[in-house]
Amino acid sequence: MWGKRGTAGEQGSLAGSLRDEKLKSNIILNAIEDGVVLIDTEGVIRLFNPGATAITGWVADEAEGLDWRLVFKFVDTKGQPITDNDTILSQAKTAARPVRDNAANLQTKSGKTVATSFSVSPLTGADKQVTGMVGIFRDVSIERQDESRRADFISTASHEMRTPVAAIEGYLSLALNEKVAIIDNKARDYLEKAHASTEHLGQLFQDLLTSAKAEDGRLTNHPRVVEIGAFAEQLVSDLKFSAEKKGLFLESNFGTVQPSAEPTKVVRPLYYATVDPDRLREVITNLFDNAVKYTDTGKITIGLTGNEQVVQFFVRDTGNGIPPEDIQHLFQKFYRVDNSATRTIGGTGLGLFICKKIVELYQGRIWVESEFGKGSTFFINFPRLTTQNAEVQLAREAQSGELGSMATGTHL
Ligand code: ADP
C-alpha cells in the first residue's frame, strides 16, 4: 500500500510542500494592499485578507462567516444604496464571467464612503456551475480626486476659452464680409483658413466642456416621454439639407408595410422612450454629421425599428468604413482612426465619447458595425415604453405641467 500511496518520505515532502504552498498564499494575501475576498456558493464570506480590512473596516474574524451583503454595502455617487442585485458581486454571479467596475463606491463599517475599483471572478466547477467568487478591490479615492480636479480644470479652462475664441471668430467673419471690409484675395485666403481653424478650436472647447460635464454627471438632462418616430421624422427633415449639400442622398426608414387590406399603406408603430429630446438630437446629429463627413458618395439612411423591449435607431452610410481593429476603441475619448480621411477631415475625437455618455443616461446602448471600405452603421438601443405606460406617464406629465403653471400663474 505504501508503494501506491508513496513512501513516508514522499508523503512528508508532499505535506510539506502543501504547507509551503499555503504559507506562500498566506504571505501574499497578507502582504498585498488590495482587498481580497472569497465568497462561497451560498454567498458566505470564507476569506477576508488584511487589505480588505484596511478598506472596509471589517476585521476577518467578523466578516468571515457572514453573508457578503452584510459586509459589502455598495452606494451610488450620492451615497444612496445600490440594490443587491445591481452590485458587481451579483452581476458576476449571474453572468458567470469576470466583471470589473472602476466606479464602485463602498460604504465602510463606520459608514464612510470609499471610492473603489472592484473586479470579481466567479469560480466554476467541472459542470460549469458557479461555486464561488473571488473579489479583488482597491481604494482609488486619490485617483478619483485627481480625476475630478482634472475634469474641473478642463471644464473651467474650456468654458473661459470659448469667449475669446468666439470673439476672434466674430471679427474674422466681419473681415471676410464683403459689405464690411475690403480685402485682397491673398488676405481673404489667409483669413478663411484662420476662420476655419478658429471654428475648429471653438468646437474643441465646446466638446471638451460637454465631455467633462458628461463624465462627472453635470450634463443638463430633462428626460420625458418621447414618441421617437415623430421626433425622428422632424429631425430628418432638418438634416436633409446638409446631406444634399455634399451630394449625398438622405433616406429615412421608419415604417413597416402592413400586410393588410391596404397593402401599400405604410404604418409606423409608436415607439415611446424616456429621453431628453435635446440630448437625443445631439447624439443623432453627431452620428449623422460623421456619416456625412466620412462618406464621399452614396447615401445615408436614418432608420428606426424595435421590438417589445427596445427602440432602435440606426444611422447607416456608404462611406469609408472603419477598420476592425479600431472598432473597440471608437467610443473612447479623443480616439480618431488614423488614416488619410481623418488627417484631412477635421474632428476632435470626442463626438462618439459624448454620444455614448448621453445614451447611457437613458440605460441605452450604442455600437457600430462596419465593413472597411464599404460603410458603417451606428446603432442605438433604448428601453421601449409600452404605449399604455407611455400614455399614463404623458397624462401625468401634462397634469404636473398644468399644476406648475397654475402655481406660477401662467397659462399653457
Ligand atoms: P471626430 O470629431 O474625429 O469625428 P468622433 O468621436 O465623432 O470624432 O469619431 C471618432 C472617429 O471615428 C473619427 O475620427 C473617425 O475616424 C471614426 N468615425 C466616426 N464615424 C464614422 C463613420 N460614419 N464612418 C467612418 N469613420 C467614422
Side-chain angles (χ1 to χ4, degrees):
M1 273 293 142
W2 278 120
K4 224 173 181 190
R5 287 180 165 195
T7 62
E10 277 170 351
Q11 279 217 331
S13 70
L14 180 65
S17 64
L18 280 177
R19 245 194 336 267
D20 279 355
E21 287 305 315
K22 191 156 190 279
L23 198 67
K24 268 194 243 165
S25 319
N26 281 345
I27 289 172
I28 295 170
L29 285 172
N30 291 342
I32 57 175
E33 259 185 65
D34 289 6
V36 180
V37 59
L38 174 66
I39 297 168
D40 71 13
T41 167
E42 305 298 324
V44 175
I45 297 176
R46 291 293 166 204
L47 184 149
F48 202 79
N49 80 333
T53 300
I55 297 170
T56 61
W58 288 82
V59 292
D61 282 351
E62 294 167 336
E64 286 172 3
L66 286 183
D67 188 293
W68 69 263
R69 280 160 275 246
L70 295 170
V71 176
F72 289 95
K73 307 255 184 223
F74 290 92
V75 291
D76 64 16
T77 44
K78 295 188 184 99
Q80 295 302 312
I82 293 179
T83 45
D84 290 334
N85 285 345
D86 294 333
T87 65
I88 177 164
L89 285 156
S90 304
Q91 282 167 8
K93 189 169 181 198
T94 319
R97 61 173 170 77
V99 180
R100 170 181 287 281
D101 182 0
N102 292 327
N105 295 303
L106 264 185
Q107 207 166 56
T108 64
K109 194 179 174 204
S110 64
K112 261 192 348 210
T113 301
V114 184
T116 60
S117 163
F118 222 109
S119 79
V120 183
S121 303
L123 305 170
T124 43
D127 53 357
K128 300 256 177 337
Q129 290 293 311
V130 176
T131 54
M133 286 182 291
V134 178
I136 300 179
F137 52 107
R138 271 190 320 127
D139 180 343
V140 291
S141 312
I142 295 177
E143 287 90 328
R144 285 262 187 102
Q145 272 167 13
D146 286 349
E147 249 170 53
S148 142
R149 269 191 224 117
R150 220 174 14 240
D152 271 357
F153 171 74
I154 292 178
S155 102
T156 315
S158 38
H159 190 263
E160 292 303 317
M161 283 190 254
R162 265 185 334 159
T163 319
V165 169
I168 299 171
E169 204 188 320
Y171 283 117
L172 287 172
S173 302
L174 279 178
L176 285 166
N177 186 337
E178 283 167 12
K179 291 187 194 131
V180 182
I182 300 162
I183 49 170
D184 64 22
N185 282 347
K186 210 167 185 180
R188 176 167 299 280
D189 184 36
Y190 294 154
L191 289 181
E192 270 170 1
K193 287 192 176 113
H195 188 246
S197 294
T198 320
E199 255 185 355
H200 181 207
L201 198 60
Q203 186 60 50
L204 176 63
F205 287 142
Q206 180 59 52
D207 284 356
L208 276 174
L209 187 61
T210 315
S211 67
K213 282 188 179 176
E215 272 181 297
D216 57 19
R218 284 183 298 121
L219 215 54
T220 5
N221 176 31
H222 303 289
R224 59 183 172 83
V225 175
V226 175
E227 203 286 289
I228 306 284
F231 166 87
E233 273 172 3
Q234 174 62 46
L235 189 57
V236 167
S237 73
D238 295 348
L239 298 174
K240 228 176 175 79
F241 177 68
S242 106
E244 283 166 1
K245 212 166 90 183
K246 201 178 167 187
L248 298 168
F249 178 62
L250 176 60
E251 180 186 66
S252 55
N253 192 340
F254 297 159
T256 45
V257 180
Q258 292 291 94
S260 65
E262 294 174 84
T264 50
K265 196 176 168 200
V266 175
V267 179
R268 187 174 60 70
L270 293 175
Y271 289 116
Y272 285 105
T274 307
V275 293
D276 179 333
D278 292 335
R279 291 279 165 228
L280 182 57
R281 174 182 289 271
E282 256 174 63
V283 173
I284 306 298
T285 308
N286 204 314
L287 297 182
F288 169 80
D289 285 347
N290 277 350
V292 173
K293 262 195 328 196
Y294 302 109
T295 304
D296 293 329
T297 52
K299 70 173 179 186
I300 294 168
T301 312
I302 298 191
L304 183 64
T305 163
N307 59 25
E308 306 238 306
Q309 276 86 39
V310 297
V311 182
Q312 183 174 88
F313 241 119
F314 65 86
V315 179
R316 177 170 296 143
D317 64 57
T318 54
N320 305 342
I322 300 154
E325 64 275 20
D326 289 295
I327 287 190
Q328 55 172 327
H329 305 290
L330 220 60
F331 295 91
Q332 290 167 5
K333 230 190 312 185
F334 298 116
Y335 194 84
R336 303 197 74 210
V337 177
D338 184 20
N339 59 24
S340 55
T342 45
R343 265 175 250 133
T344 49
I345 301 168
T348 61
L350 283 168
L352 290 180
F353 172 76
I354 294 172
C355 286
K356 183 165 188 278
K357 287 282 170 192
I358 294 177
V359 167
E360 284 170 354
L361 284 177
Y362 313 113
Q363 287 75 51
R365 192 164 80 82
I366 181 167
W367 75 102
V368 62
E369 287 171 12
S370 182
E371 204 175 329
F372 191 41
K374 291 209 167 152
S376 317
T377 308
F378 284 81
F379 294 92
I380 302 176
N381 275 9
F382 290 117
R384 181 177 180 182
L385 280 178
T386 61
T387 305
Q388 197 188 8
N389 236 332
E391 279 165 2
V392 171
Q393 288 194 41
L394 281 169
R396 224 180 274 151
E397 279 173 19
Q399 208 176 23
S400 65
E402 264 170 41
L403 288 176
S405 64
M406 271 160 66
T408 54
T410 54
H411 297 282
L412 278 179

